[in-house]
Amino acid sequence: MDRLDAMKLFQRVAELGSFAAVAQQLGVARSVVTRQVAALEAHLGVRLMERSTRRLSLTSAGAAYLEKCRLILHLVDAAETDVAAERAAPRGTIRLSLPLSFGLQRLAPLLLEFSRHYPEVGLDMDYSDRRVHLIEEGFDLSIRITRRLAGGDVARRIGSGRMLVVAAPTYLARHGQPQHPAELIHHECLGYTSGGAVQSWQFLVDGKLESFAVRSRIQANNGEVLGEAAAQGLGLSLQPDFIVEDLLAAGRVEPILAAFPTPELGIYAILPSNRHVPHRVRVLMDFLAAGVGASA
């Protein structure tokens, strides 16, 4: 008898509390079951059960071993279920937390396409820039754009992006174009706020990351509003490339400080834990990685 079969047999005996009942289920003699449990105890070098003429009871070692057996056998069942699911169409509902602007512009078309490809998968989409608590709030997956992950995040990188400083030609005609990030303090900067006031923007100068103070009369927690403000000549805006690409293409804004790149942004699929990931969620991550990577 292999190790997993021994665990399954021990679990059955422990849960039914009877060698005879398990023997009857399996269609074997009671002595076969008792010998196999005794062999498991001999292998482990510890008594798992106390026997009496009336009942069986677990020892403390047996109770601890039973919990571990249940966990291991559950993981084996989940793995086998997933292998079988690879041959079948994914099904079930996925609850998603998505960033607002990137979610609407880039992810929504991909998610609708995914829904057409996989009609047995339901999508429950929540668009917000707040950082959600995946387990507590019942999310299966979160897509986030960040320079660095939080400690403990279980994530898969599905794409990348850059921040760009842009300004309208009318603003630059009035105020001139800064040649170095240190000159930003003399300009009207449009501040993106997320959990606090805007105090500085970061750039790579000679390969080293440096922070430069900015002043912001106009602030918002939405990049599209700030991009439009920049297009209307109200100041300089530091925005992700996906927010300003249409404004750049239309000539309403132009990039500045191109010689001083900003740190790369990572686009991540964040999971609630590193345990079993449902087949439908893995299929969605693969789909988004292919779509986001192609458009990045």
Side-chain angles (χ1 to χ4, degrees):
M1 172 177 285
D2 67 24
R3 195 74 54 81
L4 286 177
D5 286 339
M7 287 181 176
K8 290 177 182 177
L9 180 68
F10 168 70
Q11 181 179 339
R12 278 193 181 191
V13 173
E15 291 177 347
L16 291 178
S18 167
F19 289 123
V22 173
Q24 185 176 12
Q25 280 188 354
L26 298 178
V28 299
R30 180 181 183 277
S31 59
V32 172
V33 178
T34 57
R35 282 199 304 271
Q36 289 173 342
V37 172
L40 177 62
E41 290 177 320
H43 170 75
L44 296 172
V46 65
R47 182 172 286 276
L48 300 173
M49 294 178 169
E50 298 291 353
R51 288 91 159 159
S52 72
T53 55
R54 293 186 177 182
R55 65 187 182 88
L56 293 175
S57 60
L58 293 175
T59 64
S60 59
Y65 186 66
L66 176 60
E67 290 307 307
K68 291 182 173 63
C69 286
R70 284 171 171 158
L71 175 61
I72 290 168
L73 293 172
H74 170 74
L75 291 174
V76 170
D77 287 343
E80 291 177 349
T81 299
D82 246 22
V83 169
E86 295 290 348
R87 302 192 300 270
R91 66 184 66 235
T93 298
I94 303 173
R95 189 160 185 244
L96 288 154
S97 173
L98 306 161
L100 186 57
S101 295
F102 185 76
L104 293 174
Q105 292 183 22
R106 295 282 181 86
L107 297 179
L110 290 173
L111 290 167
L112 297 180
E113 183 182 353
F114 175 87
S115 188
R116 286 192 295 271
H117 277 79
Y118 300 99
E120 295 186 58
V121 177
L123 298 177
D124 182 355
M125 299 174 278
D126 180 89
Y127 289 85
S128 170
D129 287 330
R130 71 184 180 91
R131 183 178 177 85
V132 300
H133 299 283
L134 294 174
I135 295 175
E136 292 87 338
E137 298 182 52
F139 285 102
D140 299 298
L141 188 67
S142 171
I143 305 298
R144 284 292 171 259
I145 304 172
T146 182
R147 291 176 184 168
R148 63 180 66 86
L149 293 169
D153 277 343
V154 179
R156 172 181 171 182
R157 189 182 177 104
I158 62 172
S160 63
R162 285 282 183 183
M163 300 289 283
L164 302 174
V165 182
V166 299
T170 53
Y171 177 91
L172 297 175
R174 291 196 311 270
H175 302 283
Q177 183 168 153
Q179 301 301 310
H180 190 279
E183 298 174 26
L184 290 172
I185 194 63
H186 305 300
H187 286 264
E188 189 65 52
C189 295
L190 305 167
Y192 178 79
T193 55
S194 179
V198 178
Q199 296 179 334
S200 64
W201 290 353
Q202 292 185 317
F203 297 86
L204 291 169
V205 180
D206 297 326
K208 180 181 177 183
L209 186 62
E210 295 187 24
S211 296
F212 296 90
V214 297
R215 56 185 178 87
S216 300
R217 181 176 64 89
I218 298 175
Q219 301 183 9
N221 66 349
N222 181 268
E224 290 176 289
V225 171
L226 297 174
E228 179 60 29
Q232 293 187 21
L234 295 173
L236 312 180
S237 186
L238 176 64
Q239 292 299 322
D241 47 15
F242 64 86
I243 285 183
V244 297
E245 61 184 0
D246 288 344
L247 298 174
L248 288 167
R252 299 186 65 201
V253 298
E254 58 187 71
I256 61 174
L257 295 175
F260 302 93
T262 59
E264 186 178 63
L265 295 170
I267 304 170
Y268 298 94
I270 301 177
L271 296 163
S273 75
N274 59 1
R275 291 193 175 185
H276 175 67
V277 180
H279 176 52
R280 62 185 179 276
V281 174
R282 289 208 314 272
V283 170
L284 177 59
M285 285 196 294
D286 290 342
F287 191 91
L288 291 178
V292 171
S295 62

